[in-house]
Amino acid sequence: MNSESKKGKYGYVLLAVFVLVLGIAAVIVSGSETIGYMKGPADISNMSGSELEDVVYGEIELSKAFLYGCYDISYNTENGINTPETYSYILYIGDYVSGNAKFIGIEVNEDKIEDMDRIVDESWEAIKAGKPLEEYSELKIKGKLKKMSDDGYTSFANELTKMGIDSSTIQKNTLRLVLDENGTTDNNMFILFGAGVILILTGIIWSICIILIKHKKKI
């Protein structure tokens, strides 16, 4: 085999390896979010902190958690007029008995405000009466778990401080996560995941062809 043929053969091998590596990298980057979305929302009602951090899409029945109050409002500005669009509330979820409950945020649309405010009142009534919240109203929210922004955390912590909760307790028991009712997977992630799968299959087929061609030449 002349040197040009060898260079061509090794070039094809390297290209097949490159395609495989590129495909695997694309799947790794996009796989968690894409697969999490396809699996559907997980019940986060009694999850620990480490479990919550691994969730992509979650849902919660608010009768299983305490809603402390609203800490932020986002506005849609159109023609110089600010209109409330989404509301962020403080949610206390988890196993209260074992001390594993955590504060997280939950962001909902304006059409949920009446229910959310009612559940806030009921949550405080339940806390004062020492009763389980299950005896009160129910409302299920599902969405994407996203990281809480720095500005969001500042508003979140300030609101808890106003409620008489000290800063060390807030820092210790807060997960900087928000269950966003409007959260969806970026379409680019679906595209990247699909492209990764195609590249992996292409790399595998290409590698098999190279092996078969090499084997045929030996025969």
Side-chain angles (χ1 to χ4, degrees):
M1 183 182 289
N2 58 42
S3 60
E4 289 186 2
S5 297
K6 287 183 178 180
K7 286 181 180 178
K9 182 185 73 173
Y10 289 131
Y12 284 126
V13 172
L14 288 174
L15 188 56
V17 171
F18 175 74
V19 169
L20 271 171
V21 171
L22 194 62
I24 291 169
V27 168
I28 289 173
V29 169
S30 61
S32 176
E33 185 166 332
T34 303
I35 293 171
Y37 179 81
M38 291 189 293
K39 285 169 63 178
D43 184 0
I44 66 171
S45 303
N46 292 305
M47 285 189 176
S48 64
S50 58
E51 289 174 323
L52 277 169
E53 290 174 347
D54 292 332
V55 172
V56 177
Y57 285 88
E59 67 178 0
I60 185 167
E61 175 58 67
L62 291 183
S63 64
K64 297 179 181 178
F66 289 98
L67 205 58
Y68 273 54
C70 182
Y71 69 90
D72 195 22
I73 302 173
S74 66
Y75 293 86
N76 178 37
T77 303
E78 190 172 346
N79 298 324
I81 300 173
N82 291 330
T83 304
E85 191 169 39
T86 61
Y87 293 72
S88 298
Y89 285 77
I90 298 168
L91 189 63
Y92 193 53
I93 65 172
D95 187 350
Y96 315 108
V97 177
S98 65
N100 289 326
K102 298 291 182 182
F103 292 113
I104 67 168
I106 181 168
E107 186 175 311
V108 298
N109 294 321
E110 190 176 11
D111 62 349
K112 300 283 194 315
I113 298 310
E114 186 176 337
D115 287 330
M116 295 293 280
D117 287 343
R118 186 186 70 250
I119 294 174
V120 168
D121 292 338
E122 291 170 351
S123 294
W124 284 108
E125 286 176 16
I127 291 171
K128 292 174 183 177
K131 295 180 179 180
L133 196 58
E134 284 86 342
E135 295 182 12
Y136 293 84
S137 298
E138 297 183 356
L139 178 66
K140 182 176 286 186
I141 303 291
K142 62 182 178 179
K144 181 179 178 180
L145 273 170
K146 65 182 184 181
K147 295 292 183 183
M148 187 182 292
S149 67
D150 290 340
D151 288 343
Y153 176 73
T154 298
S155 299
F156 185 95
N158 286 342
E159 191 64 29
L160 283 172
T161 300
K162 291 176 185 176
M163 296 174 188
I165 301 173
D166 62 83
S167 59
S168 61
T169 300
I170 295 170
Q171 291 175 8
K172 180 182 177 182
N173 294 297
T174 296
L175 291 177
R176 296 194 183 192
L177 296 172
V178 178
L179 182 64
D180 181 5
E181 183 184 24
N182 297 306
T184 58
T185 292
D186 188 342
N187 287 334
N188 291 330
M189 285 295 181
F190 283 114
I191 294 170
L192 185 61
F193 184 80
V197 172
I198 292 171
L199 286 172
I200 290 172
L201 292 174
T202 301
I204 291 172
I205 293 170
W206 203 331
S207 300
I208 292 172
C209 289
I210 292 171
I211 292 169
L212 291 175
I213 291 170
K214 184 178 179 181
H215 180 69
K216 184 176 180 181
K217 285 182 177 179
K218 284 184 179 180
I219 295 174

